[in-house]
Amino acid sequence: MQSYLSGPEQALSLFQMDLFTRLDKWSPRNPLSRAEVTPGEAVRYLAGNPATETLTYEFYEDEDDGQVHLQKLRFERSDLLGQRPRVTRWTLSIYDNFVPTDVDFTFVVPPKAQSMASPVRVRD
């Protein structure tokens, strides 16, 4: 699955793989990164000196059940694209006990749209 994903989806799948396959230890995907830990709140991995890439896992503790929950992943990378600086940023929020509302999606053909292919004909 990871080979088909990128960005936040890949980070979440890697995190899940670590949880279910290596419960006794966890290490960042970039072995050269260093960790900054704020107990009960966040684990931040920085790569490069100065840091050019960070991946932060944010947590919160539920007062009702005393469990620590993953709340958010934040990623930032700075690099050069030729001579121009490029920054990649994304955030993935995770909601506990959240049920999305029902969605009724109906495709409406835009005005002046033209068909790109003929309908498929099935022979008996």
Side-chain angles (χ1 to χ4, degrees):
M1 180 170 88
Q2 295 164 19
S3 62
Y4 292 104
L5 300 174
S6 63
E9 294 85 6
Q10 185 181 48
L12 187 57
S13 73
L14 293 171
F15 184 69
Q16 288 175 326
M17 184 184 77
D18 285 338
L19 287 176
F20 291 107
T21 60
R22 300 185 312 172
L23 294 174
D24 60 335
K25 60 183 176 180
W26 187 80
S27 60
R29 288 291 150 200
N30 184 338
L32 301 176
S33 63
R34 60 194 181 282
E36 290 180 352
V37 180
T38 307
E41 293 181 17
V43 177
R44 184 176 177 198
Y45 289 94
L46 300 99
N49 192 11
T52 57
E53 182 176 302
T54 62
L55 178 59
T56 305
Y57 295 90
E58 294 182 15
F59 300 91
Y60 73 94
E61 186 172 352
D62 189 330
E63 294 176 6
D64 295 332
D65 62 13
Q67 298 290 316
V68 177
H69 299 266
L70 178 62
Q71 180 177 11
K72 195 174 285 189
L73 283 82
R74 295 181 187 272
F75 176 82
E76 183 171 328
R77 179 182 341 161
S78 302
D79 55 6
L80 291 175
L81 182 61
Q83 298 293 325
R84 304 184 79 189
R86 175 178 61 176
V87 176
T88 303
R89 285 188 192 111
W90 53 256
T91 301
L92 177 66
S93 297
I94 300 167
Y95 299 98
D96 289 345
N97 301 320
F98 174 76
V99 178
T101 57
D102 287 335
V103 176
D104 181 17
F105 176 79
T106 305
F107 177 74
V108 178
V109 178
K112 299 182 182 181
Q114 296 180 354
S115 175
M116 294 184 66
S118 299
V120 176
R121 295 185 182 157
V122 179
R123 295 183 189 209
D124 293 329

